[in-house]
Amino acid sequence: QSVLTQPPSMSAAPGQTVTISCSGSSSNVGNNFVSWYRHLPGTAPQLIIYDNSKRPSEIPARFSGSKSASSATLGITGLQTGDEADYYCATWDSSLSSFVFGSGTQVTVL
Amino acid sequence: QVQLLESGPGLVKPSETLSLTCAIPGLSITFGYSWGWVRLPPGKGLEWIGGISQSGAASYNPTLKGRVTLSIDTARNEVSLSLSSISAADTAVYFCVRRWQFLTQDYFDSWGQGTQVTVSS
């Protein structure tokens, strides 16, 4: 059971927006940078957000990240069929002395 | 984009020790990054196994501590994982990762394709 809680699944139609939450505590999200990863089964996971809200150069601006207190959020606008994947938040947990991942959210494009 | 190439036995018997290797061609392993391993058990989420710095300082997931050892071979430009007392719960896809750590920055910016490890007698 992960210390970072995400909704198990989310779905939306093409062109719409999905917002994925990542809820933690002061020992992890509250006091450390959050990163987000996209994973399509059978492929290498990909970093899509780091330092709470920064995007690697190859990630389109449709993806955004934010953080408030002990919760982080990943937003995907203009949803495309290619966005179907599992999305994970992650950060360092100072109490556990361990890097931790969220429980993962499966995004489906209707 | 850096290449991370995992290799391993694929099938391991319970109670044995799993050994995996990650080769990093084209980039010196001492360049300034840390390295590590993450796994994905079937039907579950990603799990951090551990990390190792370019100097060889290692840190491990407390849930695996005592069973896991990471090492770095600068001559061969490889990172290795050893996981002892294997059980069915260790069945997973194992990913090699490059980790950027600077002050409070901490994230995995490159991932290998992963190698499937199945524990079965």
Side-chain angles (χ1 to χ4, degrees):
Chain A
Q1 190 170 349
S2 176
V3 297
L4 304 181
T5 303
Q6 298 179 232
S9 63
M10 300 195 74
S11 60
Q16 292 191 328
T17 297
V18 292
T19 303
I20 302 170
S21 61
C22 173
S23 178
S25 68
S26 59
S27 68
N28 43 64
V29 174
N31 284 287
N32 294 296
F33 279 126
V34 174
S35 50
W36 289 87
Y37 304 86
R38 172 172 61 184
H39 182 227
L40 201 56
T43 69
Q46 182 182 26
L47 174 71
I48 55 174
I49 295 289
Y50 65 98
D51 292 357
N52 301 333
S53 59
K54 297 177 183 175
R55 284 178 292 107
S57 58
E58 67 273 20
I59 301 301
R62 300 187 298 106
F63 292 85
S64 64
S66 63
K67 192 180 87 168
S68 177
S70 297
S71 288
T73 301
L74 172 70
I76 311 174
T77 61
L79 205 60
Q80 302 174 0
T81 54
D83 295 331
E84 285 200 332
D86 297 321
Y87 291 84
Y88 296 89
C89 61
T91 187
W92 181 258
D93 190 297
S94 306
S95 292
L96 297 175
S97 293
S98 179
F99 201 88
V100 291
F101 287 92
S103 43
T105 300
Q106 183 179 50
V107 170
T108 302
V109 181
L110 300 172
Chain B
Q1 187 83 348
V2 64
Q3 255 194 315
L4 305 175
L5 304 173
E6 304 99 338
S7 60
L11 181 64
V12 186
K13 288 183 169 55
S15 80
E16 291 187 343
T17 295
L18 168 68
S19 295
L20 298 177
T21 298
C22 175
I24 303 129
L27 175 70
S28 172
I29 205 168
T30 61
F31 183 66
Y33 289 89
S34 295
W35 308 89
W37 294 87
V38 173
R39 68 182 182 180
L40 182 64
K44 297 186 178 181
L46 295 170
E47 179 184 28
W48 179 69
I49 297 171
I52 188 165
S53 71
Q54 53 182 314
S55 64
S59 58
Y60 304 112
N61 187 323
T63 64
L64 297 172
K65 208 167 186 178
R67 294 202 297 133
V68 61
T69 303
L70 300 192
S71 60
I72 195 166
D73 187 331
T74 55
R76 298 171 68 93
N77 227 46
E78 292 179 348
V79 178
S80 295
L81 162 71
S82 177
L83 185 62
S84 63
S85 304
I86 287 282
S87 72
D90 296 309
T91 293
V93 177
Y94 286 73
F95 297 99
C96 178
V97 295
R98 186 176 76 171
R99 183 180 186 182
W100 174 254
Q101 287 179 287
F102 180 69
L103 300 179
T104 55
Q105 292 182 313
D106 192 356
Y107 53 86
F108 305 119
D109 69 345
S110 290
W111 296 65
Q113 289 289 327
T115 185
Q116 173 69 48
V117 173
T118 301
V119 181
S120 174
S121 55

